[in-house]
Amino acid sequence: MEPQFWTDRWKEGNIGFHRPSVNEHLLEFWPQIDAAPSASVLVPLCGKSLDLHWLVEQGHTVMGNEVVDLAVQDFFKEAQWLPKCEPWGALQRYSCGALHILCGDFFALTPQDIEGVSAWYDRAAQVALPPEMRQAYYQQLANLLPVGAVGLSLSFEYPQDQKSGPPFSVEEDELRALCNGRFSIELLARQDRLAVEPRLAAQGLTRADEAIYRMVRC
Ligand SMILES: C[S@@+](CC[C@H](N)C(=O)[O-])C[C@H]1O[C@@H](n2cnc3c(N)ncnc32)[C@H](O)[C@@H]1O
């Protein structure tokens, strides 16, 4: 899944992953990951998610990362905020108060670009990536985050042969293997989505669960 794939989707307005409200699992489970109230939070592959606003409202400094400039422009336009924009390493940094969005490839980020981050939030980031990119995603996360950093990660699980991604299915076994030696991982909840989202059954899925994890960089 190259950046051009996502640029095309944003240009076409093909962004069904974007939600008009703050994610319910973020609201429910963020308190359980024990992020310090003053923690800076990395949000990889953030799109124009309203979750960024919620994290700022909790008192966090937020560092979103998004490769498609149009998504970043839309985010600030819709918030009616005028961000400051400056070169930031290999990326561009858009800032407004405690919110920063680093526009550029996640895999080009360096620890210096996000200095001070001690928590992260993954909604529709790891599941946006095909299997061959997930190892690199977790390696890069591990490179970027200091030991002890805590994260909330939302995963999606379904029989992959019933539908093509994104979103891809990332089952617990695979996630544990990806995290091995990098992150400790605790399942906080698993919820059946078929019952509440009839469109999933209409797509031919016989199982669709959302799994919510607390992770710690070890
Ligand atoms: C499925 S969307 C999820 C967006 C957001 N997390 C949300 O919950 O709405 C994945 C996002 O990751 C961005 N993306 C894909 N590859 C990326 C990369 N290598 N670096 C940074 N962003 C990337 C896409 O442009 C897209 O906005």
Side-chain angles (χ1 to χ4, degrees):
M1 229 110 269
E2 296 304 316
Q4 190 59 46
F5 168 86
W6 293 103
T7 302
D8 292 345
R9 284 193 64 163
W10 278 99
K11 274 193 191 148
E12 291 156 8
N14 183 8
I15 54 166
F17 51 80
H18 179 71
R19 293 284 172 264
S21 55
V22 176
N23 187 279
E24 73 215 54
H25 302 311
L26 176 63
L27 297 175
E28 182 176 354
F29 292 102
W30 185 255
Q32 289 190 33
I33 71 158
D34 304 317
S38 60
S40 292
V41 182
L42 172 67
V43 185
L45 283 67
C46 65
K48 58 172 183 175
S49 173
L50 299 180
D51 299 350
L52 299 168
H53 289 294
W54 186 84
L55 287 164
V56 169
E57 284 159 17
Q58 306 319 298
H60 296 298
T61 295
V62 174
M63 308 245 189
N65 163 245
E66 169 57 51
V67 74
V68 178
D69 190 62
L70 177 60
V72 182
Q73 304 289 349
D74 277 2
F75 175 85
F76 285 107
K77 203 182 295 168
E78 288 168 19
Q80 299 187 318
W81 289 354
L82 210 56
K84 174 180 167 193
C85 178
E86 59 193 326
W88 200 256
L91 295 86
Q92 289 287 317
R93 187 172 87 153
Y94 292 79
S95 303
C96 205
L99 178 65
H100 310 277
I101 300 185
L102 305 177
C103 187
D105 189 353
F106 174 71
F107 297 98
L109 276 175
T110 67
Q112 293 72 36
D113 293 331
I114 59 159
E115 209 175 341
V117 159
S118 61
W120 81 100
Y121 169 60
D122 177 329
R123 188 261 162 184
Q126 64 167 3
V127 298
L129 301 172
E132 63 276 13
M133 291 180 78
R134 280 181 220 138
Q135 189 68 246
Y137 174 74
Y138 273 95
Q139 184 58 54
Q140 170 69 336
L141 258 192
N143 290 344
L144 293 172
L145 294 165
V147 170
V150 290
L152 181 68
S153 179
L154 312 182
S155 193
F156 193 41
E157 305 173 344
Y158 62 89
Q160 190 66 83
D161 57 356
Q162 293 179 351
K163 183 178 109 65
S164 55
F168 294 94
S169 172
V170 182
E171 303 276 356
E172 184 170 350
D173 282 356
E174 181 189 345
L175 195 57
R176 288 194 180 277
L178 289 166
C179 289
N180 191 23
R182 299 174 175 137
F183 300 95
S184 67
I185 158 168
E186 175 192 355
L187 179 68
L188 298 177
R190 175 172 285 110
Q191 297 183 355
D192 178 3
R193 299 308 299 176
L194 275 190
V196 287
E197 287 187 61
R199 69 182 174 91
L200 295 172
Q203 288 172 8
L205 298 186
T206 54
R207 175 173 65 89
D209 290 336
E210 206 159 10
I212 298 125
Y213 298 93
R214 176 180 191 267
M215 295 188 184
V216 182
R217 171 77 175 106
C218 49

